[in-house]
Amino acid sequence: MNVHEMGRVLILGLAGAIIAGNTVASNWSESITIKGDLRYRHEMIEAGEEDARHRQRIRARLGVYANVSPYTQVGIRLATGSTDPISTNQTLDGASSTKTFSLDLAYFETYHEAVPCLRITAGKLKNPFIKPAKSELIWDGDWNPEGGAVTINKTLGQIDLTMIGAGLWLDERASGDDSYLVAGQGIGRFHFNDGKSTVAVGVGFFNYVNTLGFEPYFDHDHSAGNTTVPYVEDEEVDTVLHYANDYDLIEVFGEITHKFQNTPVLVMADYVTNSGAYSLETGWLVGFQIGKAKKSGSWQLNYFYREVEKDAVVGAFTSSDFGGGGTDSKGHVLGGAVQLARNTVFKMTYFINETGLSEYATEDFKRLQFDLQLKF
């Protein structure tokens, strides 16, 4: 059975199980939702003195979301791409070879009517943490972690409060300590000016347990910019590299939104520092967005400036696009989008970056992306 057949069996099996056991809905259409999207991208990359690279890429995702009870939902989604935890892109090459679908999400979310403000999510889930203006300072937008999270939302007058706690698995080792992430985040969102203006402030702590002295996450041969050292045991030096620092991140961010007539404007800042490193431990991002591509004919423009030192964040999970991925880079991101029709967006993003900051021998990095995004 190939992966395409597995995907069809997975979706049909889930639908059948819920139809058979559901006592709330009168038919399957009331309990199951199928959603998906397709993104077609042309991308140009210029890195250092190398010739410009051009490639066509697609991202396709198909998800099934089912209400198994009035208080519990299950979500399963398949996506294109490789096993890379921060990319679901599939390059069009290989002489038109078939492309693979992999498990991108598999989670449940539940709450109890006695405490409707508290929700529990577990499995391979969407990133539970709030990112101002979808900031990829700490995590790439495609990163879907594995483990569990608890979210509490409470509204007090014109203030929305959110608290998030999570325990996420990173590496399970048969002979050695496991690596995991213990994290918490708190956000306050203040509404005023008759709902036209909002100010949000947040703080988070993200502790990567058992990182110092272990191999880089996902790709053991590539640290994505983080500092590594050779492994030493009984005075013998191994060629395998290991992390030279712990990663205990503290994040502080703020976001201001305001509507000028019918045009929303957003200004944001995001700052992170790694208390587990002795140097090259900070990262920050500032930017703004004007407009929002949401309805047919609507548009948006955005600009961000970002600088991430070598050990500010875990390179394996930060943006895969900025500076070619990983840390130790700085620069600009310019973008815009137009809503061409319902569920159809054309988007442009231009990265003007410098890499290799810690070596004082920086290289220019440029990436230009044109996206057509379709949802259903």
Side-chain angles (χ1 to χ4, degrees), residues 21-301:
N22 188 359
T23 60
V24 178
S26 60
N27 57 67
W28 72 271
S29 63
E30 296 179 8
S31 63
I32 297 177
T33 301
I34 298 176
K35 295 191 294 185
D37 63 84
L38 171 67
R39 182 179 68 195
Y40 193 98
R41 167 177 290 174
H42 174 78
E43 184 172 59
M44 183 277 294
I45 300 173
E46 292 182 351
E49 300 299 323
E50 298 179 5
D51 292 337
R53 178 186 182 186
H54 295 265
R55 59 183 177 179
Q56 307 282 307
R57 312 190 88 187
I58 59 171
R59 182 190 69 185
R61 301 183 297 190
L62 180 63
V64 178
Y65 306 89
N67 297 317
V68 297
S69 79
Y71 311 112
T72 302
Q73 183 187 68
V74 167
I76 297 177
R77 187 172 73 183
L78 302 176
T80 51
S82 63
T83 58
D84 189 339
I86 58 171
S87 178
T88 50
N89 291 312
Q90 179 68 62
T91 302
L92 301 182
D93 64 355
S96 300
S97 59
T98 57
K99 312 306 178 187
T100 59
F101 250 41
S102 302
L103 187 65
D104 188 41
L105 293 172
Y107 69 91
F108 74 86
E109 181 179 272
T110 187
Y111 73 100
H112 194 277
E113 59 180 339
V115 193
C117 63
L118 187 151
R119 293 181 180 266
I120 298 173
T121 310
K124 185 167 182 60
L125 59 148
K126 297 178 183 179
N127 190 337
F129 303 112
I130 293 175
K131 302 187 298 179
K134 299 183 179 180
S135 167
E136 294 188 321
L137 182 64
I138 301 178
W139 299 289
D140 186 273
D142 284 332
W143 184 62
N144 293 323
E146 301 165 1
V150 176
T151 302
I152 299 174
N153 290 298
K154 192 71 174 178
T155 298
L156 302 174
Q158 294 181 316
I159 304 174
D160 295 330
L161 300 177
T162 302
M163 297 189 67
I164 304 165
L168 306 172
W169 291 106
L170 298 176
D171 267 339
E172 185 274 329
R173 302 181 178 91
S175 57
D177 295 328
D178 298 334
S179 293
Y180 52 94
L181 172 63
V182 177
Q185 191 181 52
I187 304 96
R189 195 174 297 273
F190 307 87
H191 304 275
F192 55 98
N193 193 22
D194 295 326
K196 295 182 179 180
S197 305
T198 302
V199 174
V201 292
V203 61
F205 178 70
F206 312 98
N207 178 20
Y208 292 83
V209 180
N210 295 325
T211 301
L212 173 64
F214 289 89
E215 294 176 298
Y217 294 121
F218 178 62
D219 186 350
H220 299 328
D221 297 323
H222 180 54
S223 69
N226 295 143
T227 302
T228 54
V229 294
Y231 179 68
V232 179
E233 184 175 10
D234 297 330
E235 298 183 356
E236 293 186 6
V237 179
D238 197 334
T239 57
V240 177
L241 297 178
H242 290 65
Y243 284 118
N245 294 287
D246 272 323
Y247 289 85
D248 303 322
L249 312 184
I250 300 172
E251 179 192 27
V252 179
F253 64 83
E255 181 183 274
I256 301 173
T257 60
H258 179 72
K259 277 190 176 182
F260 291 93
Q261 295 183 347
N262 293 322
T263 302
V265 176
L266 178 150
V267 179
M268 58 80 65
D270 197 1
Y271 173 84
V272 64
T273 184
N274 176 20
S275 63
Y278 295 101
S279 62
L280 304 175
E281 76 279 16
T282 61
W284 55 277
L285 183 153
V286 295
F288 65 86
Q289 177 176 303
I290 301 174
K292 189 169 185 179
K294 189 174 182 179
K295 298 180 180 179
S296 296
S298 60
W299 55 270
Q300 69 183 51
L301 297 172

